[in-house]
Amino acid sequence: MSSYEDRAARGRAYSPSLWARDFEATLARQAERGACLRACHPPRRLAYGARALEGLNLFLPEKQGPWPLMVFLHGGYWQQLDAMATDFMAAPWLSRGWAFASLDYPLAPEVNIETMVAACQQGVRHLQREASALGLNGRICLGGHSAGAQLVIMSCLGDGRLTEVDALWLISGIYDLRPLAGTYIDEPLQLDGAQAERLSPLCHDLHGLPPLTLVHGEFDPPRFRSQGETLYEHALATGVAAELCLLPNCDHFDILERLEALPF
């Protein structure tokens, strides 16, 4: 196999849209659900940094607080979508008495993934500092989908890691970026070998992470499921509490509509 064929094969293997049933219809449905929720339950828009995408949509329950908080990061391979893509997910959390924040972060090619990780840390720390003023009780969980899952776990690793986080929800995530190097996915990212390794949770010591819930869909790309299984085994081997869930009959995109069955 030539190097071009190898890159093309890796690109196909890591392209969730090629494995999904109708991802465009799914994204459109989720966007409509988010718009309906914002219309009847408007979120607070909070800035945590100076860039246009350094902000978040904070949904607060109607019942009296203080409330626990789920912060969720959208996917889009670090180069697409925004916080409104996951606003629809706030509904079940609100119904159970949780606040929900859809977090924006700057995208490639304007910034690199290290800058995105730092932005996510900045956004979460802003919420932690302002918890009392926002009616939050200090309990916080972080979740992310696809590339957002990588940003969530990387935000909790290394010297500048987030602390006082109760749990991580990692949905259909990618945890080893090295196979992406040289593919079409990498064009706006421009990862070199050292960067890809630094940004791969599977290349890190996982000691000190909060409990992990790793979730994949039956029709996620096999490489995504395999990376999630490896991260699960790595976490258990280092003493990190972890749960691995495979949801039947859903793909990389509609899985976000199937998470209500998981325990909060």
Side-chain angles (χ1 to χ4, degrees), residues 122-222:
Q122 185 178 351
V124 172
R125 289 192 175 107
H126 177 81
L127 288 165
Q128 289 174 323
R129 287 193 306 270
E130 300 297 321
S132 179
L134 294 170
L136 308 174
N137 68 9
R139 182 184 177 193
I140 184 169
C141 295
L142 304 184
H145 174 238
S146 195
Q150 181 267 348
L151 294 174
V152 161
I153 190 170
M154 286 303 302
S155 294
C156 297
L157 293 170
D159 293 338
R161 68 174 63 195
L162 292 171
T163 59
E164 300 181 21
V165 173
D166 291 87
L168 304 183
W169 270 36
L170 307 176
I171 314 301
S172 298
I174 182 164
Y175 310 112
D176 187 348
L177 277 58
R178 292 172 295 181
L180 303 182
T183 68
Y184 79 93
I185 300 160
D186 185 39
E187 290 177 7
L189 304 173
Q190 294 296 299
L191 294 170
D192 59 34
Q195 278 182 308
E197 184 171 341
R198 283 198 309 273
L199 291 165
S200 296
L202 286 174
C203 297
H204 283 257
D205 180 355
L206 302 183
H207 282 96
L209 281 177
L212 310 179
T213 298
L214 291 141
V215 188
H216 287 85
E218 179 182 0
F219 304 124
D220 254 315

Side-chain angles (χ1 to χ4, degrees), residues 29-54:
R29 180 175 63 250
Q30 292 171 354
E32 182 178 2
R33 289 177 58 185
C36 290
L37 180 62
R38 288 191 299 273
C40 67
H41 195 119
R44 293 183 62 179
R45 180 66 181 179
L46 303 177
Y48 64 80
R51 293 186 178 93
L53 286 177
E54 290 180 339

Side-chain angles (χ1 to χ4, degrees), residues 31-86:
E32 182 178 2
R33 289 177 58 185
C36 290
L37 180 62
R38 288 191 299 273
C40 67
H41 195 119
R44 293 183 62 179
R45 180 66 181 179
L46 303 177
Y48 64 80
R51 293 186 178 93
L53 286 177
E54 290 180 339
L56 57 95
N57 301 334
L58 177 63
F59 294 85
L60 299 174
E62 294 179 355
K63 297 178 181 178
Q64 186 67 32
W67 312 281
L69 172 67
M70 164 59 86
V71 180
F72 203 87
L73 277 65
H74 66 85
Y77 259 147
W78 306 280
Q79 55 198 279
Q80 294 176 319
L81 302 179
D82 58 29
M84 291 192 293
T86 55

